[in-house]
Amino acid sequence: MTAWSDRSPISAVMLNPALMAAILASAAQGHEKETQQAMPWVLGFVTAPMVLHQPTRNALPISTRTHLGAWIGKNPVLRAGFPARAQALAEPVKEGTRFGLAHHALTLEPDGRVRSLYRRPRGFKTPDELDHMLRKASLVGRWLSKADSPATVFAVLGVAP
């Protein structure tokens, strides 16, 4: 883990643990909404690069009816860069998970699934960009829940757990 004093200001802002925890919590809420089960923890490693990379986030489908494989077929350039983005975000995802667990935004179940404990305070107005990221994270959580398994998601995206 890189010390905060050694991080670039942009990295410190965009990859901060609280933001990562919020993205993971939103994805877990979306997944649970769709399946009534907690989200496999490993899906956080593909959710973050989908949501934080603006071109990928903007290209995400508007509904979960689009099959992941079909979406990949329509977005080969995004798929080509995905493994590098996922690898670069592995440590920030772990750090965000630890932050979420420590601050009771997330809980980890014995089977390796993560559940969101976060509830947005009533009347709280989320800044537009953050709101967009959190909505897309929820969509990704619902969308990835439709895949056969996390291994299928990883294979289609070209990454290894």
Side-chain angles (χ1 to χ4, degrees):
M1 183 168 49
T2 306
W4 280 99
S5 59
D6 295 336
R7 297 180 194 207
S8 74
I10 293 172
S11 176
V13 170
M14 290 304 298
L15 303 179
N16 75 73
L19 176 60
M20 291 301 222
I23 288 169
L24 296 172
S26 291
Q29 284 175 346
H31 189 281
E32 188 169 353
K33 181 179 179 181
E34 199 70 33
T35 65
Q36 285 68 54
Q37 295 181 10
M39 181 178 82
W41 175 64
V42 296
L43 290 180
F45 292 96
V46 294
T47 299
M50 286 182 165
V51 173
L52 289 173
H53 183 247
Q54 189 173 17
T56 303
R57 183 173 66 240
N58 292 340
L60 288 170
I62 57 172
S63 81
T64 60
R65 288 185 296 218
T66 302
H67 190 275
L68 179 61
W71 181 79
I72 289 294
K74 292 179 183 175
N75 295 283
V77 172
L78 295 176
R79 184 348 193 127
F82 192 83
R85 286 191 301 279
Q87 186 175 17
L89 290 174
E91 281 307 313
V93 168
K94 290 176 190 176
E95 194 174 16
T97 302
R98 288 190 296 269
F99 184 90
L101 293 169
H103 294 302
H104 309 290
L106 299 170
T107 185
L108 191 59
E109 298 190 346
D111 63 354
R113 292 176 176 267
V114 67
R115 186 178 304 275
S116 174
L117 300 175
Y118 175 75
R119 299 293 174 252
R120 193 179 314 200
R122 188 174 217 154
F124 180 74
K125 174 70 173 125
T126 307
D128 291 341
E129 179 100 9
L130 176 59
D131 186 59
H132 188 241
M133 282 190 230
L134 297 179
R135 288 181 189 278
K136 288 297 185 172
S138 178
L139 170 80
V140 168
R142 292 190 335 266
W143 190 36
L144 297 181
S145 75
K146 297 185 179 295
D148 294 335
S149 69
T152 301
V153 171
F154 277 64
V156 170
L157 294 171
V159 294

